[in-house]
Amino acid sequence: GGETEPVWTLVTDASTLAAGDQIVIVASSSNYALGTTQNDNNRNAVSVTKSGNTVVIGNTVQIITLETGSVSNTFAFNTGTSGYLYAASSSKNHLRTKTTLDANGSWSISITTAGVATIKANGTNTKNLLKKNSTSALFSCYDSGQSEVSIYRLEGGEPGDEEPKPAITVSSETSVNVEAAG
């Protein structure tokens, strides 16, 4: 036998997200995901294959590990070696990565039952909605418009991952409670 493909499943309830989850961000109405390439002011969009409520990704899709944000009721998007995604401007549509976490890298998440996610940075920068650009193959932060996004979570976790993680629960009002999972 060979290795099985990881299963990335559409998240339709923000309250099921927890610190430690691995996610990918995908355009809701097209077959593009947030890529690993950090351009000057945005992230590239790479092709994926959707099938029902799952998505198959390639090695150029950015896998994000959720962490507790620096602002109450938020998540941080840890990209691994390059740091945290953050909304980087009020005057331009910038999505960048940095190694320190602050409010501009602390994201509120709400999700409709159809899986459309509103991902909003909680800092002072007003271009703070993470979206897929509607006319270009890129993801960035905007104050309105553009293409909606969805969150897909890795199901099953990684082998040997039996340590309990802090659970972050998000209600329909986007409030977050942190408690020990067990």
Side-chain angles (χ1 to χ4, degrees):
E3 291 186 30
T4 58
E5 284 289 319
V7 177
W8 297 89
T9 303
L10 180 66
V11 177
T12 58
D13 181 354
S15 71
T16 66
L17 293 172
D21 283 350
Q22 290 188 308
I23 64 164
V24 293
I25 297 173
V26 179
S28 297
S29 60
S30 64
N31 293 329
Y32 286 102
L34 179 82
T36 56
T37 301
Q38 177 67 58
N39 302 320
D40 285 340
N41 301 316
N42 54 56
R43 282 291 184 111
N44 68 321
V46 295
S47 294
V48 294
T49 303
K50 293 179 186 175
S51 177
N53 283 340
T54 63
V55 66
V56 177
I57 68 169
N59 61 4
T60 57
V61 171
Q62 180 65 65
I63 296 172
I64 295 166
T65 301
L66 292 179
E67 293 182 5
T68 302
S70 67
V71 173
S72 180
N73 305 326
T74 64
F75 288 103
F77 294 162
N78 189 335
T79 64
T81 57
S82 60
Y84 299 97
L85 291 177
Y86 75 105
S89 180
S90 288
S91 61
K92 305 218 184 248
N93 299 319
H94 291 182
L95 173 65
R96 293 186 176 153
T97 308
K98 64 180 175 178
T99 56
T100 56
L101 177 60
D102 64 14
N104 287 309
S106 296
W107 305 86
S108 298
I109 301 172
S110 62
I111 302 175
T112 69
T113 56
V116 175
T118 300
I119 303 172
K120 182 178 180 180
N122 284 262
T124 57
N125 291 328
T126 57
K127 304 271 185 172
N128 58 3
L129 295 170
L130 198 157
K131 304 261 188 152
K132 158 72 175 63
N133 186 285
S134 59
T135 58
S136 299
L138 61 91
F139 285 78
S140 201
C141 290
Y142 304 92
D143 57 3
S144 64
Q146 305 304 324
S147 297
E148 301 293 341
V149 296
S150 296
I151 295 174
Y152 289 76
R153 176 180 39 225
L154 178 63
E155 296 303 325
E158 296 191 28
D161 185 14
E162 282 121 30
E163 287 293 316
K165 299 175 192 163
I168 296 180
T169 55
V170 184
S171 75
S172 60
E173 290 84 32
T174 336
S175 65
V176 177
N177 300 312
V178 179
E179 57 190 48

